[in-house]
Amino acid sequence: MGRKKPLDPNRIAVVTVHGTGDTAAGADGEKWFQNGSAFVGRLKARLGVQGVKAEVIPFHWSGENSVLRRELSANKLAKALREYAKTFASVHVIGHSHGGNVANDALNQLNWMANRKTRQRVSSMTSVGTPFFKAQFGVAEGIIGVAFLTLLVSTIGLLVAALAIYSMFPTMHGDAARYVREFEATALAAGRTVAESEAVAYAQDQVESASLYKGTFTAISAFLPLSALTLLPLLPLVLSGTGNLLRYRRKKHDDAKFFSIWHPNDEAIAFLQGIETARVDAFPRWALWRGSRRSAVLGSAVFVFGAFALAALVIGVGVVGFQITDAHYEKIGNIFGFDGLAIFGGLTTGDLGLLIFLFAVLGAPLIFLAVYLVFRFLFGLVAEIVGRDWLNSSVNGALRGMAFGRDGFVGVGNVSTQSHTYGVRPFVLSGVVAERMREGAASAATALLDRYRWSLLNVGADHAGAISELATDAMTWKCLIHTSYFEQPEVADAIGDYIAEHVERERAR
């Protein structure tokens, strides 16, 4: 076999990873990550001046604000980077917004270490405006992790045991059958004398033991593969969950550094940090106590009306001809543990109905007060003291989950401009370029609000439709600093110089 042709050190791949909601159908277009965009053109030109020929390869993912989708996209990206590393002298990744989180997780799967002397699958990583998340594990996730590891070991162990027993089964089964034949022959030969009758009994015991052994062995050998096959459908989930736990718990590699570009007024990063630290008191102090009043009144009213309904029911039973007798009272007393005859003896159905009715009328205030106090205590005071903080915590957790896109096994948080698994070389935009981005975002936001101002303020107009259109239009992010990074020539030049620096380092190896 001939020697593989060496890779051209000046031919590199630049993999662009878009952020949330910024998808595209193909590799060519006007979006920053597509071939044909102004950013890609300037990046290629900047690298070309330094003798580097870059092929830009957009990586497409769903762009959903979803932890699970980002995780699955990271798996896909890691596979793609392995393949690109076989074709190009070096591979460089640029991730914008949550695309940086996707790329971060992909590099974590590749166990990226930029300081290794051996050739790496990925030479450099650039994040632009990325709100880096850190995986968070509580007690529940820890228990699930142990369960994942247990299932993994059980699945592998059962498969190995089943294969081992099946390989031994023919020999062991043949030995058992041979023992049975020998014991039967011994029994026949030993049945002539009294002394040998003990041998017969012994032989029969051995035959029974051998048969029992054969049956037990057969049951076990059938159970093991059945159990293993039952666990096989869970194997992908077990492997994925175990891999996540091990991957997210790795130590931070400060020697492997991202090129982290961000603006001090990046709306996405600031918003997510604000959501993480904010506390919304959905249930203010004593709100549950005050709110329980209505349910207490309703509950008390139900009990009062229930007494009247019971009286009407008893009277109605008497009208249709069914009469309650002493025998019935005796049975009722036996059920509830009191002397029914002593309490209700001699009462007719009509008497009982009238008695219940009078009790409902005269005892209504007492019933109402008793039930009201029970409701207020249980659903008001106890809930206020014990449950308010938990409810507020749940609401805040739900808000953070919606903002962070949590929808899977792994929780995320600790929003930062720096990766939680790798070091960074920060490039904080300042000066003229930062001010230009502020002014552009302010002008775009003003234009956007002017466009919808009168439709929103017009009395009787379709406000819901206008708000929906405004939200949809704003989500194109044309008026945000967060999406204007790639319109700045300084950003393209900085990324180009950073990539060229790593290409030069690869050449020197």
Side-chain angles (χ1 to χ4, degrees), residues 111-421:
N111 198 20
W112 183 56
M113 293 286 287
N115 67 332
R116 286 180 178 172
K117 295 182 179 180
T118 57
R119 181 172 176 269
Q120 296 296 290
R121 294 188 176 94
V122 176
S123 296
S124 76
M125 168 66 201
T126 301
S127 64
V128 181
T130 294
F132 285 104
F133 287 151
K134 182 179 181 180
Q136 296 178 332
F137 295 94
V139 176
E141 286 78 8
I143 294 173
I144 293 172
V146 173
F148 274 147
L149 291 173
T150 303
L151 281 172
L152 180 61
V153 172
S154 298
T155 304
I156 296 174
L158 283 171
L159 287 173
V160 172
L163 291 174
I165 289 180
Y166 263 124
S167 65
M168 297 166 59
F169 183 79
T171 302
M172 298 177 72
H173 184 271
D175 290 343
R178 179 168 53 81
Y179 292 153
V180 171
R181 290 194 298 270
E182 289 177 357
F183 293 146
E184 288 175 346
T186 302
L188 291 174
R192 297 176 182 174
T193 67
V194 176
E196 290 175 337
S197 63
E198 296 179 1
V200 174
Y202 174 77
Q204 289 175 343
D205 289 341
Q206 295 302 309
V207 171
E208 291 176 0
S209 298
S211 299
L212 179 62
Y213 164 78
K214 176 183 175 182
T216 303
F217 173 74
T218 304
I220 292 175
S221 64
F223 168 77
L224 286 176
L226 179 62
S227 182
L229 289 174
T230 303
L231 289 174
L232 277 179
L234 293 174
L235 192 57
L237 175 64
V238 170
L239 291 173
S240 173
T242 305
N244 284 339
L245 285 169
L246 296 176
R247 196 162 64 243
Y248 291 133
R249 289 188 179 278
R250 285 177 183 162
K251 290 180 61 178
K252 184 175 181 177
H253 301 306
D254 287 314
D255 50 352
K257 297 185 181 298
F258 282 12
F259 189 42
S260 178
I261 301 176
W262 52 281
H263 191 288
N265 303 120
D266 188 301
E267 302 90 344
I269 300 175
F271 170 74
L272 292 176
Q273 286 181 334
I275 284 288
E276 185 169 28
T277 57
R279 175 178 170 81
V280 178
D281 278 335
F283 300 92
R285 188 169 297 281
W286 301 115
L288 296 177
W289 167 253
R290 292 191 296 269
S292 66
R293 182 181 302 167
R294 182 171 181 269
S295 60
V297 171
L298 286 175
S300 302
V302 168
F303 273 84
V304 171
F305 291 138
F308 285 103
L310 180 60
L313 176 63
V314 172
I315 294 172
V317 167
V319 171
V320 299
F322 180 81
Q323 297 298 319
I324 300 178
T325 66
D326 289 349
H328 294 118
Y329 291 134
E330 186 176 1
K331 289 182 179 179
I332 294 173
N334 292 334
I335 292 173
F336 292 100
F338 60 84
D339 190 349
L341 288 175
I343 298 176
F344 300 109
L347 289 179
T348 65
T349 303
D351 294 335
L352 182 62
L354 180 61
L355 183 63
I356 296 174
F357 179 78
L358 290 175
F359 175 77
V361 172
L362 299 177
L366 182 61
I367 297 173
F368 187 93
L369 179 61
V371 177
Y372 178 82
L373 292 177
V374 170
F375 264 77
R376 291 303 301 275
F377 177 77
L378 291 178
F379 299 103
L381 188 60
V382 173
E384 176 69 34
I385 296 173
V386 178
R388 191 178 73 88
D389 288 341
W390 178 82
L391 288 171
N392 279 328
S393 177
S394 298
V395 170
N396 283 275
L399 291 175
R400 286 192 291 270
M402 291 171 60
F404 297 166
R406 179 172 184 178
D407 60 352
F409 166 67
V410 180
V412 292
N414 198 1
V415 182
S416 174
T417 57
Q418 302 186 22
S419 169
H420 297 286
T421 51

Side-chain angles (χ1 to χ4, degrees), residues 475-494:
M475 284 306 292
T476 61
W477 293 357
K478 293 179 181 178
C479 62
L480 299 180
I481 287 174
H482 183 68
T483 53
S484 61
Y485 288 99
F486 300 102
E487 299 172 8
Q488 318 308 318
E490 294 87 347
V491 171
D493 291 345

